[in-house]
Amino acid sequence: MDSPFWDLVTIWLARASGVMVLTGAGISAESGVPTFRGKDGLWNRFRPEELATLEALQRDPERVWTWYRWRRKKVLQAQPNPAHRALVTLEQWKQPHFLLVTQNVDGLHQRAGSQAVVEFHGNLFEDVCLQCGFHRRIESVASEDSAVPYCPRCGHLLKPGVVMFGEPIPEQALHHVIEFIPRTDILLVIGTSAQVYPAAAIPRWVKDHGGKVVEVNPEQTPVTEMADAFLRGPAGKLVPKLVQDAMKKQQVPHERTFSG
Ligand code: NAD
Ligand code: ZN
């Protein structure tokens, strides 16, 4: 690979005992799921404040739900890509000292086979009632389903199981991450524009605890400057190679010097 840091990163990864990975929409881009920001991002076509907020949902449920149903369909047509699969291999190698924190709501990491996944922003395939706590899992999106779902228990408007702008991060998710930070020797930041807090603060927390930060992205982000290494390029190409090369590094025995 063309980064001067490539070899170094594979050594860091091989030697790390605690590994955290933070992913964003970019890791699913090569599966055909549109990102929000960046080239071809959804925000170029839609305004977030019109769609991904509780106020918008209450004001215009039909419009907001049409958008989320469209996103569900897109994800159901998509398959995990080589980057998702490489993170499964990485987990199998490093577990139980491994945590995958995703801002994605598409469930593709789990479909690829990842186990230790923290969904920081919830999941697209859930309906949730903020009134009575009812929730259900969604397996498919039939075109005849009505666009706006209401709670079968109390009749209140349902909301998709994602964290909308202005909503807090699920407490359990934040707890898992904070607990793992001191054990993180290396954090891989893959395919996130690092604009949404508190997820965007995770690289800084890791650095403050002495861990290394490695970023994989075709474009620079606010993380790039603080990262110990920036690997420019698409996740589907770089992440499998990175994991593969790191595993090879581990297999090479340390050189010994013989005297006599
Ligand atoms: P974002 O859309 O803000 O940024 C996407 C990033 O991915 C950009 O930095 C872009 O340069 C990078 N990227 C594009 N193609 C890539 C590739 N092939 N390989 C690696 N990186 C690539 O995404 P974000 O930072 O996750 O945004 C935050 C919010 O977007 C999250 O809250 C998340 O819930 C939501 N979101 C999720 C999905 C999903 O679940 N798939 C899709 C869109 C948005
Ligand atoms: Zn209800």
Side-chain angles (χ1 to χ4, degrees):
M1 291 292 147
D2 56 3
S3 165
F5 291 105
W6 186 267
D7 258 0
L8 206 51
V9 174
T10 59
I11 292 168
W12 292 340
L13 194 54
R15 291 188 183 163
S17 62
V19 177
M20 196 192 299
V21 182
L22 172 65
T23 64
I27 196 168
S28 296
E30 289 158 87
S31 293
V33 182
T35 60
F36 276 3
R37 303 178 187 80
K39 241 180 351 94
D40 308 324
L42 283 173
W43 287 161
N44 298 330
R45 290 181 278 155
F46 304 99
R47 289 163 56 82
E49 61 274 20
E50 278 178 18
L51 292 164
T53 67
L54 285 178
E55 294 72 30
L57 181 66
Q58 265 135 24
R59 199 173 51 235
D60 195 349
E62 174 114 32
R63 180 167 154 77
V64 172
W65 265 110
T66 301
W67 187 59
Y68 278 103
R69 283 164 48 79
W70 173 78
R71 289 182 59 199
R72 281 178 177 171
K73 281 188 193 161
K74 273 257 178 258
V75 170
L76 285 172
Q77 290 159 2
Q79 298 300 329
N81 67 50
H84 295 107
R85 288 196 292 275
L87 294 181
V88 180
T89 308
L90 183 59
E91 174 171 13
Q92 286 164 352
W93 176 21
K94 297 291 181 177
Q95 69 183 352
H97 308 289
F98 178 89
L99 190 67
L100 171 51
V101 184
T102 187
Q103 297 167 87
N104 294 348
V105 294
D106 58 25
L108 286 177
H109 286 302
Q110 291 92 332
R111 275 168 60 194
S114 287
Q115 304 273 326
V117 184
V118 171
E119 288 184 314
F120 220 59
H121 292 161
N123 193 295
L124 199 49
F125 294 94
E126 255 180 40
D127 287 346
V128 180
C129 177
L130 291 183
Q131 198 69 24
C132 75
F134 168 85
H135 56 94
R136 66 181 174 206
R137 183 97 200 126
I138 300 298
E139 305 290 346
S140 62
V141 184
S143 39
E144 65 273 15
D145 285 355
S146 82
V148 181
Y150 290 92
C151 179
R153 206 195 277 163
C154 77
H156 199 262
L157 175 66
L158 290 175
K159 118 177 197 177
V162 303
V163 176
M164 294 181 135
F165 284 100
E167 282 192 296
I169 301 302
E171 216 172 290
Q172 255 322 79
L174 197 55
H175 178 77
H176 271 306
V177 173
I178 288 171
E179 203 180 50
F180 200 82
I181 296 271
R183 294 194 276 140
T184 304
D185 298 315
I186 188 166
L187 169 72
L188 304 182
V189 182
I190 306 171
T192 175
S193 63
Q195 309 265 335
V196 180
Y197 281 83
I202 294 174
R204 170 52 56 204
W205 296 343
V206 168
K207 284 219 75 137
D208 287 350
H209 277 84
K212 296 236 185 293
V213 172
V214 174
E215 183 179 40
V216 178
N217 200 309
E219 293 171 41
Q220 296 205 1
T221 76
V223 171
T224 312
E225 208 165 277
M226 81 170 78
D228 296 280
F230 172 57
L231 307 175
R232 185 190 286 274
K237 188 171 149 213
L238 296 191
V239 179
K241 178 95 177 98
L242 188 61
V243 173
Q244 230 174 47
D245 288 358
M247 288 176 92
K248 279 187 215 145
K249 283 275 162 27
Q250 205 202 24
Q251 283 152 15
V252 177
H254 289 299
E255 275 182 29
R256 294 199 179 85
T257 45
F258 293 100
S259 51

